[in-house]
């Protein structure tokens, strides 16, 4: 059981903390001895988990599915999901297109700087959840803090970047664009699973409660590695591993990695009535 130290990636729109990463671009570390995560949980951990602070709007982008990514980029595809940690009033996300468009129509909209008219905007607030399958046109807008869970890929095709002078990937982006338009889950049902990851939110209301480290979907690739990531959504206290006879302090936005066979209990701080964890498998 250990906390992670994130790899920090500064962006023109804010920053990303890669809180669980074995990716070659940036690797998180174990807090107690500064070892890189690949040394501990292996180089091929099937998830990349980020904390995203978007002060301004990200590019309008799309990610490839596995087959296209393997063929063209020699890497994984990128299906992801977002849990909204915080949001300014009236915050929105781009989640897909507002109707079906042909490749030619989208290409012309990009060329004419009118792609904005093709996008589907959805309102979001703290506690909402959005699933973004590969092929979904999307953009995180300014004023949002997000927990992102994704496949371990850094492949992004920008379709439109609001006038910023960064590279655009029109042909590849249009190759992989699909007519998905996800709706946010408002609020999160506390349980989600797909082929790539599983999430389960657990609320702790009294000291001594045990954390369940078994997902409903036991075939989840990350669970199969023998490790579970715990992200503290709210509250403070201590995690105690009966297996290791070890205790660590936890607070909001801490990330802790534990083995699936550990027995973990939570002890709340005296001023804390409820602690909420996102378990990521």
């Amino acid at each position: 059981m250990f906390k992670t130290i994130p790899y920090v990636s500064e962006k023109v729109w804010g920053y990303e903390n890669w809180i669980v990463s074995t990716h070659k671009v940036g690797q998180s570390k174990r807090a107690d001895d500064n070892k890189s995560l690949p040394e501990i949980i292996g180089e091929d951990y099937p998830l990349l988990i980020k904390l995203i602070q978007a002060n301004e709007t990200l590019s309008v982008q799309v990610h490839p599915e596995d087959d296209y990514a393997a063929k063209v980029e020699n890497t994984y595809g990128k299906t992801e999901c977002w849990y909204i940690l915080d949001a300014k009033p009236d915050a929105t996300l781009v989640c897909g297109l507002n109707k079906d468009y042909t490749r030619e129509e989208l290409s012309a909209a990009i060329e004419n700087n009118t792609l904005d008219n093709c996008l589907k905007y959805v309102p979001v607030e703290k506690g909402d959840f959005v699933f973004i399958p590969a092929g979904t046109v999307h953009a995180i807008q300014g004023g949002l803090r997000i927990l992102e869970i994704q496949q371990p890929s850094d492949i992004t095709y920008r379709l439109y970047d609001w006038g910023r002078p960064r590279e655009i990937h029109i042909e590849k982006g249009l190759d992989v664009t699909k007519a998905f338009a996800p709706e946010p889950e408002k609020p999160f049902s506390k349980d989600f699973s797909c082929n790539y990851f599983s999430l389960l939110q657990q609320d702790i209301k009294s000291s001594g409660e045990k954390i369940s480290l078994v997902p409903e979907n036991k075939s989840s690739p990350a669970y199969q590695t023998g490790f579970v990531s715990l992200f503290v959504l709210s509250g403070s206290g201590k995690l105690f591993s009966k297996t290791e006879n070890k205790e660590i302090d936890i607070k909001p936005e801490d990330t802790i990695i534990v083995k699936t066979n550990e027995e973990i209990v939570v002890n709340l701080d005296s001023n804390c009535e409820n602690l909420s964890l996102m378990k990521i498998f």
Side-chain angles (χ1 to χ4, degrees):
M1 178 175 69
F2 60 91
K3 289 185 186 181
T4 68
I5 299 173
Y7 165 75
V8 180
S9 177
E10 300 288 347
K11 303 290 186 180
V12 298
W13 41 261
Y15 63 84
E16 295 179 343
N17 286 348
W18 295 21
I19 53 181
V20 177
S21 172
T22 62
H23 197 283
K24 61 183 179 181
V25 169
Q27 298 171 352
S28 41
K29 297 180 178 181
R30 185 163 67 180
D32 53 14
D33 60 9
N34 221 37
K35 282 187 177 180
S36 69
L37 221 53
E39 296 179 75
I40 305 159
I41 65 174
E43 296 181 356
D44 297 319
Y45 191 68
L47 295 179
L48 175 54
I49 305 173
K50 301 176 181 178
L51 191 156
I52 297 175
Q53 176 61 44
N55 300 323
E56 298 180 22
T57 300
L58 280 67
S59 61
V60 179
Q61 54 191 245
V62 64
H63 308 302
E65 293 180 313
D66 290 334
D67 289 348
Y68 188 95
K71 180 179 178 181
V72 177
E73 308 289 355
N74 192 32
T75 188
Y76 299 97
K78 188 176 175 183
T79 285
E80 60 191 3
C81 67
W82 301 329
Y83 178 88
I84 311 301
L85 297 170
D86 202 6
K88 69 177 184 181
D90 302 318
T92 59
L93 289 168
V94 173
C95 290
L97 304 170
N98 54 28
K99 67 175 187 177
D100 288 346
Y101 293 93
T102 65
R103 183 188 182 104
E104 292 71 25
E105 287 173 329
L106 290 175
S107 182
I110 294 169
E111 180 70 24
N112 297 326
N113 289 319
T114 58
L115 184 63
D116 190 28
N117 297 329
C118 305
L119 305 177
K120 177 187 174 184
Y121 292 85
V122 296
V124 289
E125 56 191 351
K126 182 177 179 179
D128 290 350
F129 173 83
V130 189
F131 178 51
I132 305 289
T136 305
V137 175
H138 62 278
I140 296 173
Q141 299 204 273
L144 288 166
R145 192 167 180 84
I146 288 176
L147 175 65
E148 177 178 278
I149 297 92
Q150 59 160 93
Q151 290 179 265
S153 169
D154 197 38
I155 299 298
T156 292
Y157 299 145
R158 297 189 195 100
L159 296 173
Y160 187 71
D161 201 22
W162 316 101
R164 290 182 288 225
R166 296 192 294 173
E167 184 180 2
I168 302 296
H169 316 89
I170 298 175
E171 294 308 313
K172 286 183 177 180
L174 293 179
D175 281 348
V176 303
T177 293
K178 299 185 181 299
F180 299 139
E183 289 288 343
E185 205 174 277
K186 302 175 69 67
F188 180 44
S189 65
K190 300 187 178 183
D191 189 1
F192 175 82
S193 184
C194 69
N195 290 336
Y196 301 107
F197 42 75
S198 291
L199 282 72
L200 187 61
Q201 184 177 340
Q202 183 173 348
D203 295 328
I204 309 294
K205 297 184 178 180
S206 60
S207 290
E209 285 193 40
K210 184 178 177 180
I211 299 176
S212 172
L213 300 176
V214 181
E216 191 169 307
N217 175 18
K218 295 181 182 179
S219 64
S220 170
Y223 180 72
Q224 292 297 312
T225 69
F227 292 96
V228 178
S229 297
L230 307 175
F231 182 85
V232 183
L233 296 172
S234 63
S236 61
K238 293 177 173 59
L239 291 187
F240 178 70
S241 170
K242 292 185 176 180
T243 312
E244 295 184 342
N245 192 29
K246 177 181 180 180
E247 187 175 68
I248 58 175
D249 294 323
I250 57 171
K251 64 184 186 308
E253 298 192 356
D254 278 349
T255 305
I256 303 95
I257 293 181
V258 303
K259 292 181 179 178
T260 55
N261 62 358
E262 289 191 69
E263 185 176 354
I264 308 290
V265 297
V266 181
N267 292 310
L268 303 180
D269 283 346
S270 58
N271 60 349
C272 177
E273 296 182 355
N274 182 72
L275 187 146
S276 187
L277 294 168
M278 186 69 78
K279 300 179 288 188
I280 304 165
F281 306 91

